Amino acid sequence: MLGRTYRKAAEKAEKPARKGKKDPNAPKRALSAYMFFSQDWRERIKAENPDAGFGEVGKLLGAKWKELDDAEKKPYADQAARDKERADDEKAAYDNKKGGGSEEDDEE
DNA sequence: GATCTGATTGTTATG
DNA sequence: CATAACAATCAGATC
């Protein structure tokens, strides 16, 4: 599929503080496998690169990520999948409100 | 139906 | 406190 032929990230390659949400309650998406991958690897990267700052660790992380095999990404993807379920709940609430909500129970 | 875009997620350190 | 490379994602909008 020609879909992801281009990388939006590579296109903009810049982030001029994009803010402003369109959704009323913004059903935040789930985390990415990288999020979990970093949580576990950030320790190792820093362990072997105590001097590594943001750029170094970031690039190292990405490099390692690609080095990993599909089987190694699996556990991380699994965590991401788990979080997705959580995100699904958020979306459920989002859909609930978005719907014609006559009764607004309460929200914190 | 298929395609695309945008918004989001987390890490680090530093000004 | 926001930002910046790194990667995934995926759900909603659009045609």
Side-chain angles (χ1 to χ4, degrees):
Chain A
M1 308 40 189
L2 57 146
R4 32 205 53 78
T5 318
Y6 59 99
R7 303 231 189 256
K8 32 210 133 74
E11 273 206 2
K12 54 171 130 89
E14 251 170 58
K15 174 211 334 182
R18 54 153 76 17
K19 57 174 159 173
K21 34 185 89 151
K22 319 195 258 97
D23 296 298
N25 36 23
K28 303 189 176 145
R29 312 176 20 133
L31 273 72
S32 290
Y34 221 110
M35 303 300 100
F36 303 97
F37 167 79
S38 315
Q39 281 169 54
D40 272 8
W41 266 81
R42 89 190 162 183
E43 301 175 59
R44 300 187 219 206
I45 297 289
K46 285 280 288 162
E48 305 223 13
N49 305 282
D51 270 18
F54 142 65
E56 282 96 49
V57 179
K59 282 168 185 180
L60 275 164
L61 260 157
K64 292 288 179 191
W65 174 253
K66 287 182 174 173
E67 273 190 61
L68 295 178
D69 290 321
D70 208 50
E72 271 134 334
K73 298 192 321 169
K74 190 184 174 191
Y76 300 109
D78 183 70
Q79 286 164 96
R82 253 205 65 43
D83 191 87
K84 211 222 150 260
E85 287 183 66
R86 211 236 154 279
D88 179 76
D89 183 71
E90 289 176 22
K91 201 164 65 56
Y94 162 70
D95 182 69
N96 186 309
K97 283 185 188 184
K98 168 189 139 190
S102 288
E103 55 255 61
E104 214 104 84
D105 281 1
D106 62 284
E107 276 127 272
E108 86 271 9

Tab-separated table of all heavy atoms in Angstrom, chain A residues 31-76:
chain	number	residue	atom	x	y	z
A	31	LEU	N	-0.150	3.821	24.125
A	31	LEU	CA	1.296	4.035	23.962
A	31	LEU	C	1.813	3.170	22.813
A	31	LEU	O	1.161	2.251	22.384
A	31	LEU	CB	1.986	3.633	25.250
A	31	LEU	CG	2.057	4.769	26.268
A	31	LEU	CD1	0.681	5.032	26.847
A	31	LEU	CD2	3.012	4.393	27.355
A	32	SER	N	3.015	3.470	22.383
A	32	SER	CA	3.605	2.682	21.284
A	32	SER	C	4.564	1.646	21.863
A	32	SER	O	5.010	1.764	22.984
A	32	SER	CB	4.382	3.612	20.385
A	32	SER	OG	3.484	4.432	19.703
A	33	ALA	N	4.890	0.671	21.055
A	33	ALA	CA	5.799	-0.365	21.532
A	33	ALA	C	7.099	0.311	21.972
A	33	ALA	O	7.746	-0.121	22.920
A	33	ALA	CB	6.062	-1.344	20.408
A	34	TYR	N	7.441	1.364	21.318
A	34	TYR	CA	8.671	2.097	21.670
A	34	TYR	C	8.581	2.659	23.073
A	34	TYR	O	9.556	2.710	23.813
A	34	TYR	CB	8.870	3.245	20.683
A	34	TYR	CG	10.312	3.358	20.319
A	34	TYR	CD1	10.728	3.015	19.041
A	34	TYR	CD2	11.260	3.766	21.256
A	34	TYR	CE1	12.057	3.090	18.706
A	34	TYR	CE2	12.582	3.841	20.913
A	34	TYR	CZ	12.988	3.500	19.647
A	34	TYR	OH	14.292	3.567	19.312
A	35	MET	N	7.441	3.085	23.462
A	35	MET	CA	7.276	3.645	24.808
A	35	MET	C	7.673	2.610	25.838
A	35	MET	O	8.402	2.892	26.774
A	35	MET	CB	5.825	4.044	25.003
A	35	MET	CG	5.351	5.034	23.963
A	35	MET	SD	6.273	6.554	23.979
A	35	MET	CE	7.386	6.261	22.623
A	36	PHE	N	7.207	1.409	25.672
A	36	PHE	CA	7.545	0.346	26.620
A	36	PHE	C	8.997	-0.082	26.423
A	36	PHE	O	9.706	-0.376	27.377
A	36	PHE	CB	6.609	-0.836	26.420
A	36	PHE	CG	5.182	-0.455	26.552
A	36	PHE	CD1	4.427	-0.181	25.432
A	36	PHE	CD2	4.622	-0.310	27.818
A	36	PHE	CE1	3.105	0.201	25.560
A	36	PHE	CE2	3.298	0.075	27.949
A	36	PHE	CZ	2.542	0.331	26.818
A	37	PHE	N	9.384	-0.111	25.202
A	37	PHE	CA	10.765	-0.482	24.878
A	37	PHE	C	11.723	0.496	25.562
A	37	PHE	O	12.728	0.108	26.145
A	37	PHE	CB	10.920	-0.440	23.360
A	37	PHE	CG	12.356	-0.499	22.952
A	37	PHE	CD1	13.025	-1.722	22.949
A	37	PHE	CD2	13.020	0.656	22.564
A	37	PHE	CE1	14.365	-1.773	22.559
A	37	PHE	CE2	14.340	0.594	22.167
A	37	PHE	CZ	15.018	-0.613	22.170
A	38	SER	N	11.406	1.736	25.525
A	38	SER	CA	12.279	2.744	26.151
A	38	SER	C	12.274	2.577	27.662
A	38	SER	O	13.303	2.608	28.308
A	38	SER	CB	11.768	4.136	25.787
A	38	SER	OG	11.462	4.169	24.420
A	39	GLN	N	11.112	2.381	28.212
A	39	GLN	CA	11.014	2.231	29.662
A	39	GLN	C	11.956	1.141	30.162
A	39	GLN	O	12.495	1.240	31.254
A	39	GLN	CB	9.566	1.907	30.015
A	39	GLN	CG	8.716	3.183	30.010
A	39	GLN	CD	7.246	2.849	30.098
A	39	GLN	OE1	6.820	2.157	30.992
A	39	GLN	NE2	6.473	3.313	29.149
A	40	ASP	N	12.097	0.102	29.392
A	40	ASP	CA	12.982	-0.987	29.821
A	40	ASP	C	14.425	-0.741	29.392
A	40	ASP	O	15.365	-1.074	30.088
A	40	ASP	CB	12.495	-2.291	29.190
A	40	ASP	CG	11.467	-2.943	30.085
A	40	ASP	OD1	11.073	-2.302	31.064
A	40	ASP	OD2	11.082	-4.077	29.809
A	41	TRP	N	14.588	-0.176	28.246
A	41	TRP	CA	15.938	0.053	27.727
A	41	TRP	C	16.585	1.326	28.232
A	41	TRP	O	17.777	1.453	28.261
A	41	TRP	CB	15.904	0.027	26.195
A	41	TRP	CG	16.241	-1.351	25.691
A	41	TRP	CD1	15.393	-2.415	25.609
A	41	TRP	CD2	17.523	-1.801	25.246
A	41	TRP	NE1	16.083	-3.509	25.124
A	41	TRP	CE2	17.403	-3.157	24.888
A	41	TRP	CE3	18.777	-1.191	25.107
A	41	TRP	CZ2	18.461	-3.913	24.409
A	41	TRP	CZ3	19.826	-1.946	24.620
A	41	TRP	CH2	19.673	-3.288	24.281
A	42	ARG	N	15.824	2.279	28.591
A	42	ARG	CA	16.406	3.553	29.039
A	42	ARG	C	17.423	3.258	30.146
A	42	ARG	O	18.465	3.890	30.219
A	42	ARG	CB	15.305	4.447	29.562
A	42	ARG	CG	15.090	4.203	31.003
A	42	ARG	CD	13.886	4.854	31.553
A	42	ARG	NE	13.626	4.152	32.790
A	42	ARG	CZ	12.613	4.387	33.555
A	42	ARG	NH1	11.749	5.287	33.179
A	42	ARG	NH2	12.456	3.763	34.627
A	43	GLU	N	17.155	2.275	30.967
A	43	GLU	CA	18.091	1.950	32.045
A	43	GLU	C	19.403	1.418	31.465
A	43	GLU	O	20.474	1.787	31.883
A	43	GLU	CB	17.455	0.899	32.942
A	43	GLU	CG	16.143	1.407	33.520
A	43	GLU	CD	15.467	0.308	34.315
A	43	GLU	OE1	16.073	-0.167	35.262
A	43	GLU	OE2	14.349	-0.084	33.961
A	44	ARG	N	19.261	0.506	30.527
A	44	ARG	CA	20.476	-0.076	29.927
A	44	ARG	C	21.255	0.986	29.160
A	44	ARG	O	22.473	1.072	29.262
A	44	ARG	CB	20.056	-1.181	28.983
A	44	ARG	CG	19.292	-2.264	29.744
A	44	ARG	CD	19.040	-3.415	28.795
A	44	ARG	NE	17.722	-3.935	29.040
A	44	ARG	CZ	17.411	-5.197	28.765
A	44	ARG	NH1	18.292	-6.017	28.273
A	44	ARG	NH2	16.236	-5.628	28.996
A	45	ILE	N	20.570	1.754	28.398
A	45	ILE	CA	21.269	2.770	27.599
A	45	ILE	C	22.044	3.681	28.532
A	45	ILE	O	23.221	3.965	28.330
A	45	ILE	CB	20.239	3.584	26.798
A	45	ILE	CG1	19.519	2.650	25.810
A	45	ILE	CG2	20.935	4.698	26.044
A	45	ILE	CD1	20.387	2.186	24.671
A	46	LYS	N	21.392	4.096	29.577
A	46	LYS	CA	22.055	4.988	30.524
A	46	LYS	C	23.132	4.220	31.268
A	46	LYS	O	24.136	4.773	31.692
A	46	LYS	CB	21.015	5.546	31.490
A	46	LYS	CG	20.174	6.603	30.828
A	46	LYS	CD	20.903	7.934	30.783
A	46	LYS	CE	20.942	8.518	32.192
A	46	LYS	NZ	21.936	9.521	32.338
A	47	ALA	N	22.919	2.944	31.418
A	47	ALA	CA	23.896	2.118	32.147
A	47	ALA	C	25.185	2.037	31.338
A	47	ALA	O	26.283	2.121	31.882
A	47	ALA	CB	23.309	0.733	32.361
A	48	GLU	N	25.060	1.881	30.053
A	48	GLU	CA	26.254	1.795	29.211
A	48	GLU	C	26.656	3.161	28.690
A	48	GLU	O	27.742	3.358	28.184
A	48	GLU	CB	25.951	0.848	28.048
A	48	GLU	CG	25.470	-0.497	28.590
A	48	GLU	CD	26.123	-1.634	27.818
A	48	GLU	OE1	27.067	-1.398	27.087
A	48	GLU	OE2	25.658	-2.765	27.983
A	49	ASN	N	25.747	4.109	28.797
A	49	ASN	CA	26.065	5.462	28.336
A	49	ASN	C	25.655	6.487	29.379
A	49	ASN	O	24.713	7.237	29.187
A	49	ASN	CB	25.319	5.733	27.026
A	49	ASN	CG	25.647	4.656	26.010
A	49	ASN	OD1	26.707	4.684	25.407
A	49	ASN	ND2	24.767	3.704	25.845
A	50	PRO	N	26.321	6.459	30.493
A	50	PRO	CA	25.989	7.394	31.587
A	50	PRO	C	26.216	8.832	31.154
A	50	PRO	O	25.651	9.753	31.720
A	50	PRO	CB	26.947	6.986	32.714
A	50	PRO	CG	28.062	6.256	32.033
A	50	PRO	CD	27.488	5.654	30.789
A	51	ASP	N	26.992	9.009	30.154
A	51	ASP	CA	27.250	10.365	29.666
A	51	ASP	C	26.293	10.734	28.543
A	51	ASP	O	26.172	11.878	28.168
A	51	ASP	CB	28.695	10.448	29.144
A	51	ASP	CG	29.626	10.851	30.272
A	51	ASP	OD1	29.216	10.711	31.429
A	51	ASP	OD2	30.732	11.308	29.984
A	52	ALA	N	25.644	9.714	28.008
A	52	ALA	CA	24.737	9.966	26.897
A	52	ALA	C	23.591	10.855	27.339
A	52	ALA	O	22.943	10.605	28.340
A	52	ALA	CB	24.207	8.625	26.399
A	53	GLY	N	23.360	11.886	26.596
A	53	GLY	CA	22.269	12.807	26.948
A	53	GLY	C	21.008	12.387	26.232
A	53	GLY	O	20.737	11.202	26.110
A	54	PHE	N	20.308	13.348	25.725
A	54	PHE	CA	19.049	13.043	25.073
A	54	PHE	C	19.273	12.513	23.650
A	54	PHE	O	18.758	11.478	23.259
A	54	PHE	CB	18.206	14.304	25.109
A	54	PHE	CG	17.415	14.502	23.877
A	54	PHE	CD1	16.409	13.600	23.557
A	54	PHE	CD2	17.653	15.581	23.053
A	54	PHE	CE1	15.666	13.796	22.408
A	54	PHE	CE2	16.914	15.761	21.922
A	54	PHE	CZ	15.918	14.880	21.587
A	55	GLY	N	20.071	13.200	22.913
A	55	GLY	CA	20.334	12.804	21.530
A	55	GLY	C	20.988	11.448	21.424
A	55	GLY	O	20.576	10.599	20.639
A	56	GLU	N	21.999	11.208	22.204
A	56	GLU	CA	22.699	9.932	22.138
A	56	GLU	C	21.780	8.776	22.478
A	56	GLU	O	21.594	7.849	21.704
A	56	GLU	CB	23.890	9.954	23.086
A	56	GLU	CG	25.034	10.726	22.489
A	56	GLU	CD	25.018	12.146	22.995
A	56	GLU	OE1	24.913	12.357	24.194
A	56	GLU	OE2	25.105	13.033	22.163
A	57	VAL	N	21.223	8.829	23.629
A	57	VAL	CA	20.321	7.750	24.050
A	57	VAL	C	19.194	7.556	23.054
A	57	VAL	O	18.873	6.446	22.663
A	57	VAL	CB	19.733	8.073	25.435
A	57	VAL	CG1	18.779	6.976	25.854
A	57	VAL	CG2	20.861	8.205	26.449
A	58	GLY	N	18.632	8.647	22.630
A	58	GLY	CA	17.520	8.557	21.670
A	58	GLY	C	17.935	7.792	20.439
A	58	GLY	O	17.273	6.840	20.035
A	59	LYS	N	19.020	8.194	19.827
A	59	LYS	CA	19.460	7.520	18.604
A	59	LYS	C	19.882	6.087	18.901
A	59	LYS	O	19.627	5.162	18.128
A	59	LYS	CB	20.619	8.297	18.001
A	59	LYS	CG	20.085	9.501	17.275
A	59	LYS	CD	21.215	10.442	16.910
A	59	LYS	CE	20.607	11.698	16.284
A	59	LYS	NZ	21.645	12.649	15.920
A	60	LEU	N	20.540	5.894	20.022
A	60	LEU	CA	20.973	4.533	20.385
A	60	LEU	C	19.749	3.640	20.554
A	60	LEU	O	19.717	2.504	20.088
A	60	LEU	CB	21.775	4.591	21.681
A	60	LEU	CG	23.253	4.918	21.436
A	60	LEU	CD1	23.920	5.354	22.717
A	60	LEU	CD2	23.954	3.696	20.867
A	61	LEU	N	18.762	4.170	21.208
A	61	LEU	CA	17.549	3.394	21.427
A	61	LEU	C	16.956	2.964	20.089
A	61	LEU	O	16.677	1.793	19.864
A	61	LEU	CB	16.537	4.251	22.194
A	61	LEU	CG	16.513	3.918	23.674
A	61	LEU	CD1	15.979	5.098	24.458
A	61	LEU	CD2	15.618	2.715	23.908
A	62	GLY	N	16.796	3.915	19.223
A	62	GLY	CA	16.224	3.611	17.912
A	62	GLY	C	17.070	2.581	17.180
A	62	GLY	O	16.553	1.668	16.542
A	63	ALA	N	18.370	2.716	17.269
A	63	ALA	CA	19.262	1.789	16.571
A	63	ALA	C	19.072	0.384	17.118
A	63	ALA	O	18.968	-0.584	16.382
A	63	ALA	CB	20.693	2.257	16.777
A	64	LYS	N	18.998	0.289	18.429
A	64	LYS	CA	18.829	-1.026	19.050
A	64	LYS	C	17.466	-1.593	18.676
A	64	LYS	O	17.323	-2.767	18.392
A	64	LYS	CB	18.934	-0.893	20.561
A	64	LYS	CG	20.327	-0.537	20.998
A	64	LYS	CD	21.228	-1.739	20.806
A	64	LYS	CE	22.660	-1.395	21.234
A	64	LYS	NZ	23.593	-2.439	20.814
A	65	TRP	N	16.501	-0.737	18.706
A	65	TRP	CA	15.138	-1.180	18.394
A	65	TRP	C	15.123	-1.893	17.044
A	65	TRP	O	14.542	-2.944	16.886
A	65	TRP	CB	14.218	0.022	18.379
A	65	TRP	CG	12.839	-0.357	17.932
A	65	TRP	CD1	12.272	-0.075	16.735
A	65	TRP	CD2	11.860	-1.091	18.680
A	65	TRP	NE1	11.007	-0.583	16.689
A	65	TRP	CE2	10.721	-1.207	17.861
A	65	TRP	CE3	11.836	-1.649	19.972
A	65	TRP	CZ2	9.569	-1.864	18.281
A	65	TRP	CZ3	10.679	-2.303	20.387
A	65	TRP	CH2	9.568	-2.404	19.545
A	66	LYS	N	15.776	-1.292	16.076
A	66	LYS	CA	15.800	-1.906	14.745
A	66	LYS	C	16.647	-3.168	14.758
A	66	LYS	O	16.461	-4.065	13.954
A	66	LYS	CB	16.364	-0.899	13.760
A	66	LYS	CG	15.349	0.183	13.503
A	66	LYS	CD	15.890	1.162	12.492
A	66	LYS	CE	14.798	2.160	12.129
A	66	LYS	NZ	15.375	3.201	11.288
A	67	GLU	N	17.583	-3.225	15.656
A	67	GLU	CA	18.426	-4.426	15.736
A	67	GLU	C	17.616	-5.601	16.276
A	67	GLU	O	17.822	-6.735	15.890
A	67	GLU	CB	19.592	-4.146	16.670
A	67	GLU	CG	20.754	-3.511	15.909
A	67	GLU	CD	21.981	-3.473	16.775
A	67	GLU	OE1	22.437	-4.546	17.170
A	67	GLU	OE2	22.443	-2.369	17.074
A	68	LEU	N	16.734	-5.284	17.150
A	68	LEU	CA	15.918	-6.351	17.738
A	68	LEU	C	15.147	-7.097	16.647
A	68	LEU	O	14.821	-6.551	15.623
A	68	LEU	CB	14.927	-5.738	18.730
A	68	LEU	CG	15.626	-5.090	19.925
A	68	LEU	CD1	14.587	-4.475	20.832
A	68	LEU	CD2	16.435	-6.124	20.691
A	69	ASP	N	14.862	-8.336	16.946
A	69	ASP	CA	14.085	-9.122	15.981
A	69	ASP	C	12.605	-8.965	16.281
A	69	ASP	O	12.215	-8.424	17.299
A	69	ASP	CB	14.468	-10.608	16.123
A	69	ASP	CG	15.882	-10.811	15.611
A	69	ASP	OD1	16.218	-10.174	14.607
A	69	ASP	OD2	16.607	-11.581	16.237
A	70	ASP	N	11.827	-9.465	15.401
A	70	ASP	CA	10.380	-9.359	15.589
A	70	ASP	C	9.983	-10.014	16.905
A	70	ASP	O	9.130	-9.537	17.629
A	70	ASP	CB	9.693	-10.060	14.417
A	70	ASP	CG	8.350	-9.422	14.172
A	70	ASP	OD1	8.316	-8.191	14.082
A	70	ASP	OD2	7.369	-10.162	14.090
A	71	ALA	N	10.643	-11.126	17.201
A	71	ALA	CA	10.325	-11.850	18.435
A	71	ALA	C	10.673	-10.989	19.643
A	71	ALA	O	10.011	-11.036	20.663
A	71	ALA	CB	11.117	-13.144	18.462
A	72	GLU	N	11.713	-10.177	19.503
A	72	GLU	CA	12.110	-9.332	20.630
A	72	GLU	C	11.176	-8.149	20.779
A	72	GLU	O	10.931	-7.663	21.863
A	72	GLU	CB	13.543	-8.879	20.414
A	72	GLU	CG	14.441	-9.920	21.028
A	72	GLU	CD	15.573	-10.304	20.130
A	72	GLU	OE1	15.449	-10.185	18.911
A	72	GLU	OE2	16.569	-10.719	20.675
A	73	LYS	N	10.654	-7.695	19.674
A	73	LYS	CA	9.700	-6.585	19.732
A	73	LYS	C	8.364	-7.090	20.249
A	73	LYS	O	7.569	-6.323	20.769
A	73	LYS	CB	9.502	-6.015	18.328
A	73	LYS	CG	10.797	-5.464	17.793
A	73	LYS	CD	10.530	-4.649	16.533
A	73	LYS	CE	9.468	-5.295	15.688
A	73	LYS	NZ	9.037	-4.385	14.613
A	74	LYS	N	8.167	-8.363	20.092
A	74	LYS	CA	6.889	-8.946	20.505
A	74	LYS	C	6.509	-8.558	21.929
A	74	LYS	O	5.449	-8.016	22.148
A	74	LYS	CB	6.978	-10.469	20.391
A	74	LYS	CG	5.596	-11.083	20.563
A	74	LYS	CD	5.691	-12.595	20.549
A	74	LYS	CE	4.307	-13.178	20.869
A	74	LYS	NZ	4.422	-14.597	21.125
A	75	PRO	N	7.364	-8.842	22.917
A	75	PRO	CA	7.023	-8.498	24.299
A	75	PRO	C	6.692	-7.017	24.441
A	75	PRO	O	5.822	-6.632	25.213
A	75	PRO	CB	8.284	-8.863	25.089
A	75	PRO	CG	9.368	-9.044	24.065
A	75	PRO	CD	8.698	-9.383	22.780
A	76	TYR	N	7.383	-6.179	23.707
A	76	TYR	CA	7.114	-4.738	23.792
A	76	TYR	C	5.785	-4.434	23.114
A	76	TYR	O	4.965	-3.686	23.624
A	76	TYR	CB	8.242	-3.966	23.126
A	76	TYR	CG	9.560	-4.245	23.788
A	76	TYR	CD1	10.540	-4.997	23.159
A	76	TYR	CD2	9.800	-3.771	25.087
A	76	TYR	CE1	11.743	-5.255	23.782
A	76	TYR	CE2	10.997	-4.035	25.714
A	76	TYR	CZ	11.970	-4.779	25.055
A	76	TYR	OH	13.151	-5.040	25.671
